[in-house]
Amino acid sequence: MIQKETKFVILTGAGISAESGIRTFRDSNGLWENHRIEEVATPEGWKANPQLVWNFYQQRRKQLLEVEPNQGHEALVQLEDYFDNFLLVTQNVDDLHERAGSKNLIHMHGELAKLRCEACHHVEYMMDNKHLGEAFLTCLHCEGRLRPHIVWFNEMPMRMAEIEKALSECEVFVAIGTSGHVYPAANFLHIAKRHGAHTIGINLDPPENVYFFDEFFQGKAGEILPHFVQKWIQE
Ligand code: OAD
């Protein structure tokens, strides 16, 4: 039985932003907007060709100015507003959850809207429009070069201790729009389950870990989620 005090952890992936017009990772033969992942999403790629990587993320940032949150993002805001214990963990680097109104949110793979100094690790917000050019930007504190505040492959996802604590305490875990290919996020289902949570998957295609969910619903997040949220709130 779902109650107002029920502890929720929600994990989202690229699928929740698909209906806003942002392409998912694994629907394009391992390419991310026509680039090999190793080229644009690894520390080695940044070292080998920082200009290419910089331009790539600037394009992604420009794309964010053209898209809006969808009904899936909005349904999660309703859920957060109603329930007392709610944590949203996203693998997405877009800002659609916060633009929809989500507050208790962890971007475990970083954020397009932020930059981090390579030298002193200071994190800065980018300014829309003003900071979208091809020139590298420098740190306000030490003038070091700023890199995207994105977790690349072989780097440690952010705020893992907080996430693991919430997973071990949650009663309902819901994974939405994620293929279950990338760890450690793909393992959250198992952590929550091991601690007794009821686990639910919502995805357009069956994800890699589909058989481990207690319940799986196949379809678009923007269509399925609003129904679920109404049902849970009425319960
Ligand atoms: P993927 O591209 O691997 O998977 C997206 C999933 O969303 C697929 O299983 C689709 O079937 C599903 N999907 C597509 N449209 C949907 C919709 N409208 N509603 C519901 N589901 C839909 O993306 P992620 O699992 O998020 O990491 O990928 C995980 C990580 O791999 C990303 O965060 C990124 C990538 O490499 C980094 O950049 C570090």
Side-chain angles (χ1 to χ4, degrees):
M1 272 297 283
I2 304 241
Q3 293 168 334
K4 209 168 179 311
E5 309 75 42
T6 299
K7 293 179 180 159
F8 277 89
V9 173
I10 312 280
L11 171 70
T12 61
I16 194 149
S17 295
E19 288 160 79
S20 294
I22 299 181
R23 282 169 66 187
T24 60
F25 297 92
R26 281 168 192 81
D27 64 2
S28 45
N29 296 329
L31 298 180
W32 186 4
E33 299 285 350
N34 299 323
H35 288 276
R36 285 186 304 115
I37 299 278
E38 308 85 72
E39 241 171 34
V40 292
T42 60
E44 294 74 27
W46 171 247
K47 206 169 162 203
N49 194 344
Q51 190 67 61
L52 176 112
V53 177
W54 180 259
N55 292 350
F56 174 79
Y57 287 99
Q58 293 296 63
Q59 283 307 320
R60 307 283 73 73
R61 292 184 185 104
K62 285 180 194 161
Q63 186 185 33
L64 283 192
L65 301 177
E66 293 158 14
V67 297
E68 297 292 335
N70 64 53
Q71 289 186 317
H73 298 105
E74 283 157 15
L76 292 178
V77 178
Q78 273 185 289
L79 206 60
E80 177 170 9
D81 286 347
Y82 185 79
F83 289 97
D84 298 335
N85 292 291
F86 180 93
L87 175 66
L88 174 56
V89 180
T90 187
Q91 298 166 86
N92 299 343
V93 295
D94 67 54
D95 59 358
L96 293 178
H97 281 305
E98 48 269 54
R99 274 163 55 194
S102 289
K103 290 179 201 73
N104 201 13
L105 167 68
I106 294 180
H107 277 279
M108 64 176 287
H109 287 167
E111 293 171 66
L112 277 172
K114 290 180 182 172
L115 297 167
R116 185 170 78 243
C117 177
E118 289 185 288
C120 75
H121 310 297
H122 168 72
V123 175
E124 291 184 20
Y125 264 100
M126 294 197 90
M127 290 166 67
D128 287 354
N129 304 324
K130 200 171 167 211
H131 285 165
L132 290 177
E134 290 195 0
F136 292 112
L137 296 172
T138 50
C139 177
L140 288 174
H141 292 286
C142 75
E143 299 197 351
R145 186 172 63 177
L146 295 174
R147 59 160 274 180
H149 190 51
I150 303 278
V151 175
W152 287 325
F153 282 91
N154 304 325
E155 294 184 325
M156 186 62 94
M158 296 172 186
R159 299 173 64 181
M160 283 303 292
E162 277 171 82
I163 298 172
E164 281 172 11
K165 181 170 185 295
L167 287 169
S168 69
E169 293 170 353
C170 75
E171 294 161 294
V172 178
F173 171 80
V174 192
I176 306 159
T178 176
S179 58
H181 275 101
V182 174
Y183 286 81
N187 199 38
F188 291 176
L189 161 65
H190 302 288
I191 300 177
K193 218 172 148 77
R194 210 167 46 238
H195 287 87
H198 184 72
T199 57
I200 301 171
I202 298 173
N203 214 58
L204 191 57
D205 310 298
E208 188 73 5
N209 49 5
V210 63
Y211 297 111
F212 297 100
F213 287 101
D214 295 314
E215 297 181 83
F216 175 68
F217 299 89
Q218 187 162 3
K220 291 186 174 178
E223 292 170 6
I224 295 181
L225 264 178
H227 293 291
F228 260 104
V229 170
Q230 282 315 315
K231 182 173 158 276
W232 286 335
I233 288 176
Q234 275 157 16
E235 267 182 34

